[in-house]
Amino acid sequence: MQSESGMREVRARLATARAVTVLTGAGISADSGVPTFRGADGLWRNFRAEDLATPEAFARDPRLVWEWYNWRRELIATKKPNPAHYAVADLERRLERCWLITQNVDGLHRTAGSQKLSEIHGNIWKVRCTRCSRVDENREVPIAILPSCAACGGLLRPHIVWFGESLASEDLARSYEALGRCEVLLIIGTSGIVYPAASFAPVAKAAGAFVVEINLDPTPHTELVDVSLQGRAKDVVPELFS
Ligand code: BJW
Ligand code: ZN
């Protein structure tokens, strides 16, 4: 569907919907200056996320992986939510049933005020003990390389879901519940290639939701969605609710 008529249709759907679910990816934070994963500016010392975001990489060289996270923590600490994050947070206040599923670990949705959310890939401002599994918030920038657990002295790792690791079962359960009951699913700024999030659009569609994608470029979701709106999240998303 073309953007003009598509935009009108999405606004009309959102104006009457009582249950809306939002799925976000790195593209929504790109407008705050956080590099995406699969853009050239997301590279650090020529490593790809797939090289560093694995339990094997951390077991092999925890120092290198912590250095990468410190680089990202320093970068993210300087960034602020943009109008798209705020528009999503506003939606939660206006609707009976609203749930945000974010793949982003930067915490910008929380800073913008979202409270009904699942951070399905974790949060860069939390650490988890590799020995006793205790999770703590830790906003030090930079964090001490090879940090240790205050409770048991074990090595801390980022509280992030790496490739090959399972998502938290309560996050998955909440996500599927929100996908199954929503009238509208908004998918904002994700390349749609990382599972299980890549399967969320077809799940919502099969359950009868009106599915909308907002992205700079076409993605594997584009063929499936009811409306695909091409543009920057910070420009398009606030327009949907104005
Ligand atoms: C804009 C914009 C602007 C830019 N405005 N738009 C089934 C089939 C095949 C493989 C698998 C499968 N099931 C599981 C797997 C393995 C794996 C996987 O999916 N691999 C694929 C690469 C094929 N998945 C997993 O391992 C997951 N675990 C799991 O499923 O456990 C069970 C299991 C394990 C093993 C086998 C089978 C089952 C865990 C996935 C965890 C992903 N974690 C990461 C890294 C975290 C590290 C960290 O952040 O520190 O999370 S991967 C990375 O990708 C990060 C992101 O959250 C995630 C998604 O990326 P996203 O957000 O889409 O970003 P980009 O950069 O890809 O795209 C940005 C988009 O924005 C683009 O489209 C731009 O156009 C757009 N954009 N500017 C609007 N201004
Ligand atoms: Zn511990």
Side-chain angles (χ1 to χ4, degrees), residues 7-227:
M7 186 67 114
R8 270 200 300 279
E9 163 110 42
V10 178
R11 280 174 148 166
R13 294 267 180 174
L14 287 170
T16 56
R18 284 164 304 157
V20 176
T21 296
V22 183
L23 168 66
T24 64
I28 193 168
S29 292
D31 283 335
S32 293
V34 180
T36 61
F37 286 91
R38 291 161 185 91
D41 57 354
L43 282 182
W44 175 77
R45 296 192 200 161
N46 280 335
F47 290 100
R48 296 171 308 135
E50 287 82 351
D51 301 328
L52 297 168
T54 68
E56 293 78 18
F58 189 70
R60 195 167 51 236
D61 195 345
R63 179 176 294 271
L64 176 73
V65 173
W66 265 121
E67 281 171 358
W68 178 50
Y69 279 99
N70 260 338
W71 174 73
R72 291 178 53 209
R73 284 165 79 104
E74 284 182 39
L75 197 146
I76 292 167
T78 66
K79 308 303 181 198
K80 295 189 173 60
N82 66 61
H85 292 104
Y86 287 112
V88 170
D90 267 357
L91 188 62
E92 167 183 314
R93 287 190 273 278
R94 292 203 273 121
L95 283 166
E96 255 171 67
R97 282 175 292 159
C98 182
W99 198 256
L100 167 61
I101 305 168
T102 186
Q103 299 170 84
N104 298 345
V105 302
D106 54 37
L108 291 178
H109 281 298
R110 281 184 196 277
T111 309
S114 284
Q115 294 182 349
K116 294 180 184 172
L117 80 169
S118 301
E119 292 174 311
I120 60 169
H121 291 164
N123 186 303
I124 199 163
W125 303 112
K126 291 182 181 169
V127 293
R128 185 168 82 243
C129 179
T130 56
R131 191 185 291 161
C132 73
S133 300
R134 169 175 151 151
V135 176
D136 273 317
E137 187 167 309
N138 181 319
R139 293 191 164 260
E140 285 164 42
V141 179
I143 194 168
I145 290 292
L146 304 187
S148 56
C149 174
C152 79
L155 175 64
L156 296 177
R157 57 165 280 177
H159 185 49
I160 282 187
V161 181
W162 286 329
F163 284 111
E165 295 185 321
S166 296
L167 281 65
S169 54
E170 74 255 30
D171 287 340
L172 276 178
R174 281 213 169 136
S175 299
Y176 285 116
E177 195 226 329
L179 295 161
R181 63 140 203 232
C182 64
E183 292 156 52
V184 180
L185 171 67
L186 297 179
I187 306 172
I188 308 170
T190 176
S191 57
I193 59 171
V194 175
Y195 285 86
S199 67
F200 289 175
V203 166
K205 183 84 188 133
F210 186 80
V211 182
V212 181
E213 172 180 65
I214 297 114
N215 201 301
L216 273 183
D217 296 315
T219 74
H221 289 137
T222 308
E223 288 294 300
L224 166 142
V225 300
D226 294 287
V227 174

